[in-house]
Amino acid sequence: MGERVFTNCTNAGPVSVYVKDGKVTRMRPLVAEEGDFKPWTIEAGGKKYSPPKKFAVAPYVHADRRRLYSDERIRYPMKRVDFDPNGERNPQNRGKSPYQRISWDEALDIVSSEIKRVTEKYGSSAITGLTSSHHNWGIVGYKMGPFARFMNMLGYTPVLDNPDSWEGWHWGATHSYGFYWRLGMPEPYDMLEDALQNAEMIVLWSNDPDTTRGTYTGQDSALWRQWLKEKGVEMVFIDPFHNFTAAVMEGKWIAPRMGTDTAMAMAIAYVWITEDLYDKEYVKDRTIGFEEFKPYVLGETDGLPKTPEWAEQESGVKARVIRALAREWAAKRTVLSGGARGGEGGACRTAFGTEWARMMVLLQAMQGLGKPGRSIWGTTMGAPSDTKTWFPAYADPQGRVATSSVANHLPVNQTKQRLWRLTLPDAVLNPPVSWYGEGFCGQSLEQQFTHFEYPMEGYSEVKLFYRYGGSFMGTMSDTSKWVRMYQSPKLEFVVNQDIWYNSETRMADIILPACSNFERDDVGEWGACGGYTCHASSGCNFRIVVRQQKCIEPLWESKSDYEIFTLLAERLGRKEEFTDGKTEMDWIRAFFDASDLGEHISWEEFDQKGYCIINIDDDYKSTPSLRWFAEGRECDTPDPNNPKRGTIKAKELGTYSGKIEFASESLKSKFPDDEERPVVPRYIESWEGHHSELYKRYSLQLLSPHPRFTFHCHYDKHTDWLDDIPTHRIKKDGYAWWPARLNPADAAARNIQTGDIVRLYNDRGSVLCAAVVTQRVRVGVIHSYASSAKYDPLIPGDADSPDKGGCVNILTPSRMVSRNAPGMTPNSCLIEIEKWEG
Ligand SMILES: Nc1nc2c(c(=O)[nH]1)N[C@H]1C(S)=C(S)[C@@H](COP(=O)(O)OP(=O)(O)OC[C@H]3O[C@@H](n4cnc5c(=O)[nH]c(N)nc54)[C@H](O)[C@@H]3O)O[C@H]1N2
Ligand SMILES: Nc1nc2c(c(=O)[nH]1)N[C@H]1C(S)=C(S)[C@@H](COP(=O)(O)OP(=O)(O)OC[C@H]3O[C@@H](n4cnc5c(=O)[nH]c(N)nc54)[C@H](O)[C@@H]3O)O[C@H]1N2
Ligand SMILES: [Mo]
């Protein structure tokens, strides 16, 4: 049999897949016909900027073939040896006991009869289940599809995701400038052109786009930053770590003590107010509440002027540096880049991270947010991009898809009880738990004010846990709790469905092997999220929709998630209801038919050729983000989720007043006396920072950003190549350790050298890492990435045992951003570090 080339798409770029004799022999960035590309051109400063005709995928995509055939694949259905559904279940041995291979029939019988048993005994609300944040690419097989459809059909208790990426922006910035329909991110339209034409400086405040790569858009935007650098646009980095973008772009590095970014922001406002360096007209016409904010900054309300000298005490950044930054920021047309999507950034995942994110918006408001070169922009989205052709993305079940025939997440779940992801272990071990907020509150600001309590009256506590994915030891907070939860007899049955062995997999009673996107059929647009991150593929130089072709048969005994749920539904007598009579190919076709893609290509050609590039029209007209607002016009950007667009309120933002709010009307309406998320933002000392009692025992701050060479737990541990990249893991004595970076001063004080195995610890636990002594980390900070996929406790199944795998989230607090803002706070974490002699 000769070689065949298939098309597919990963979460960081499209690929061509070469298959011979049923085996993938090669993968590379998708090879498209040259004539399909029609590159855009931006003119700025007498030069023309245009992207090359290719797809710059993220580095890990080049290792996808290795990952496909990884030894860490789950090959067969497995059962814990001491789990007997009709006898002893031994939940206390989850994480300890080995597994034995069983047949698919046996596995499906056990899972389906447990679903029946639990439903009959307790009601369907006793079933819960949850996915991780990210999934292999493709909308038909995506977690929002089959998983949600199956669980909704059962009537389970859903676990609401905390908006992990957006925390401070979601819970904070939305109350300053709206955009709740983007979870607190500003619209990104045509910001690349604006920056090339107008920006003189970019302040990257908690942002490393060279690493985070527009989330899904690979390396495409790296070129844009190169252009900006060549144009002489100055870049400033505010980050306790000298991050990779700073390393490539050069520019000024400012490294504040963690937890004090808001103090620095206040001092910048202080300089602008006292030196008359802000846009008074804009503040008067486009904002409200400045007269309540200004006295706080000047210290008139609390006797504490927020001077650069004061901020120096807090942040360790010299007052003259803060002053110089403030002056230059005001003198130049400055873009603020507060995280991967303009917002985001690890600084938003901290104690009182709401206050920092709100200040990012308010600082830019003082400089005329929306005027040329004065934006909030991550440098990762907003290339010229077609917005007329609608193709559904994975988060679109909430959007246009919901009303169409392809709503593959339906039926609507009848159970009203909810759980909150970050408190799931507490909910199981120690109910009741309560919180504010309906997960991703993208429909209204009020959604954030909904109060939930678990268990809910009239419903059962959860007994059956259907875990789909298994990454949380490396990604949630204070994660030893998850081990304790798994070992609780209150969870009568646990099933895990994943492709690779992950940190939680071996805590299940039954393990089901799913297959990857290369072993099933699907469709997906590169970089597109839809829903709350509408038009995210503007982070790619070209829009491309890929017919994700099944390249090989599912490996070993794995099956597609869709097939697994279909087989379970069949055993429950509900197959037709689940499938709607459709195969995966039928769903793909239905999505194609519901979309606008047919205007560009026929189904037959698309299915055969494997992709379609959607170029911009010749008469493309740019509509820069928020320019309309700055100029007092009606919104002219193409964001379909802006609820005021096209109405009589089209000139307004999504806040209550329609303006930028220095004093938040929405917070005033619901939480007027909340000292932790006050109506007017404040600098509040971190509950786990250099002022805390705990600091006397644990005087180092853990910084755990997103890993450069993997996508969270994707690729780590499942791609042996990555262990050869010392930025990712360091090999020593035959083991691939997770690096922990520390400043030479902190290393010397503890007699630690590069390559030493060190113990990072606090009262929550211990993690063993390989030390890297480097000037790239601020004194007092330990830098170690989040998202290890390897959980490897020295004593298996012992929640208190040190972990060799590198799951530093064992150390991070499960305390929330603040009382009424239930966001995660991994970057407010005190630890100590010592050489490990064990
Ligand atoms: N310390 C610290 N912690 C953090 C953060 C931080 O900044 N610092 N950031 C937070 C953020 S923003 C995020 S988004 C989270 C991410 O954290 P998670 O959501 O926990 O991580 P993912 O890597 O997305 O998990 C993916 C899981 O789904 C599985 N999976 C993937 N595709 C498929 C599929 O097709 N079928 C099945 N059945 N399973 C599949 C994978 O194998 C894996 O187990 O981490 C958060 N945690
Ligand atoms: N390679 C790769 N890319 C990814 C991901 C991945 O796992 N790997 N994850 C994707 C996802 S889900 C998301 S949400 C985005 C997240 O994107 P971001 O939230 O922007 O990413 P982070 O890595 O958390 O933070 C960016 C920078 O902020 C710094 N930082 C952290 N805490 C603080 C602080 O308190 N103050 C200051 N000033 N700086 C701080 C970090 O050192 C880091 O350099 O990235 C996406 N892109
Ligand atoms: Mo995220």
Side-chain angles (χ1 to χ4, degrees), residues 169-475:
W169 295 82
H170 178 269
W171 302 111
T174 49
H175 298 286
S176 305
Y177 74 155
F179 287 115
Y180 53 83
W181 60 92
R182 306 191 77 97
L183 308 179
M185 301 297 109
E187 43 177 31
Y189 303 102
D190 296 302
M191 284 294 95
L192 173 59
E193 181 186 72
D194 175 61
L196 282 167
Q197 291 178 346
N198 302 307
E200 294 168 301
M201 183 160 102
I202 304 181
V203 176
L204 293 101
W205 198 324
S206 190
N207 192 15
D208 184 8
D210 198 73
T211 292
T212 53
R213 308 185 186 99
T215 308
Y216 297 125
T217 51
Q219 302 283 76
D220 267 15
S221 69
L223 179 66
W224 311 350
R225 289 183 293 276
Q226 209 60 47
W227 291 340
L228 289 162
K229 182 183 170 182
E230 281 160 19
K231 273 203 84 217
V233 176
E234 213 175 313
M235 300 204 195
V236 178
F237 296 85
I238 307 179
D239 194 322
F241 177 55
H242 188 260
N243 68 40
F244 287 88
T245 316
V248 198
M249 292 290 121
E250 299 161 334
K252 174 87 183 161
W253 177 37
I254 298 172
R257 177 186 281 135
M258 292 180 75
T260 65
D261 292 278
T262 307
M264 258 185 74
M266 290 293 175
I268 290 168
Y270 181 91
V271 175
W272 291 347
I273 292 170
T274 54
E275 299 187 10
D276 208 9
L277 296 176
Y278 67 100
D279 189 333
K280 283 200 271 310
E281 208 173 319
Y282 186 99
V283 167
K284 181 164 100 16
D285 295 340
R286 304 273 170 265
T287 77
I288 62 163
F290 190 69
E291 64 293 342
E292 290 176 64
F293 172 74
K294 186 173 156 185
Y296 168 73
V297 173
L298 296 178
E300 290 164 6
T301 49
D302 61 355
L304 192 68
K306 311 303 173 300
T307 62
E309 284 69 22
W310 163 82
E312 174 176 340
Q313 292 292 315
E314 287 302 305
S315 66
V317 177
K318 293 268 177 272
R320 64 175 161 74
V321 173
I322 299 173
R323 205 165 260 122
L325 172 65
R327 287 174 184 158
E328 200 159 331
W329 187 329
K332 291 185 166 152
R333 286 187 300 272
T334 301
V335 173
L336 174 57
S337 198
R341 288 178 179 170
E344 296 188 350
C348 86
R349 291 176 216 106
T350 59
F352 312 119
T354 46
E355 306 309 285
W356 171 74
R358 296 167 80 190
M359 280 305 291
M360 294 300 99
V361 171
L362 299 182
L363 287 182
Q364 271 317 61
M366 290 177 77
Q367 296 303 328
L369 175 60
K371 292 187 173 179
R374 299 179 195 275
S375 60
I376 299 180
W377 178 55
T379 76
T380 56
M381 276 188 217
S385 186
D386 169 85
T387 55
K388 291 184 195 150
T389 309
W390 178 69
F391 193 84
Y394 68 76
D396 272 333
Q398 280 89 11
R400 192 164 141 189
V401 165
T403 52
S404 74
S405 59
V406 286
N408 62 340
H409 66 300
L410 291 176
V412 173
N413 183 9
Q414 298 303 328
T415 297
K416 299 280 173 284
Q417 174 169 263
R418 298 288 181 269
L419 284 154
W420 186 248
R421 177 167 66 177
L422 291 172
T423 56
L424 181 63
D426 300 311
V428 170
L429 295 168
N430 232 339
V433 297
S434 65
W435 70 94
Y436 278 103
E438 216 174 323
F440 286 25
C441 307
Q443 307 300 320
S444 69
L445 287 171
E446 290 71 31
Q447 265 186 311
Q448 293 193 12
F449 305 149
T450 320
H451 192 254
F452 287 90
E453 183 163 295
Y454 169 91
M456 198 184 216
E457 222 189 291
Y459 291 103
S460 167
E461 285 188 45
V462 296
K463 309 284 181 188
L464 185 156
F465 185 32
Y466 204 119
R467 181 72 175 100
Y468 180 96
S471 46
F472 290 165
M473 291 306 291
T475 54

Side-chain angles (χ1 to χ4, degrees), residues 540-594:
C540 304
N541 285 320
F542 300 93
R543 275 190 78 182
I544 175 170
V545 183
V546 184
R547 180 44 196 98
Q548 298 184 219
Q549 298 164 340
K550 179 173 174 178
C551 310
I552 55 170
E553 286 304 315
L555 290 166
W556 298 287
E557 284 191 4
S558 65
K559 295 182 189 296
S560 75
D561 291 303
Y562 187 74
E563 190 184 349
I564 297 172
F565 288 120
T566 304
L567 291 168
L568 285 172
E570 188 171 23
R571 276 170 168 72
L572 298 170
R574 303 176 80 171
K575 180 177 169 183
E576 273 301 301
E577 195 185 338
F578 176 73
T579 61
D580 198 20
K582 293 196 188 77
T583 63
E584 284 161 290
M585 276 308 291
D586 294 336
W587 282 110
I588 296 170
R589 182 66 202 264
F591 273 107
F592 180 91
D593 289 343

Side-chain angles (χ1 to χ4, degrees), residues 27 47 162 171 209 224 330 429 456 523 582 603 610 624 650 681 754 786:
M27 252 188 237
K47 274 182 102 170
N162 59 299
W171 302 111
W224 311 350
L429 295 168
M456 198 184 216
V523 63
K582 293 196 188 77
W603 162 255
T754 294

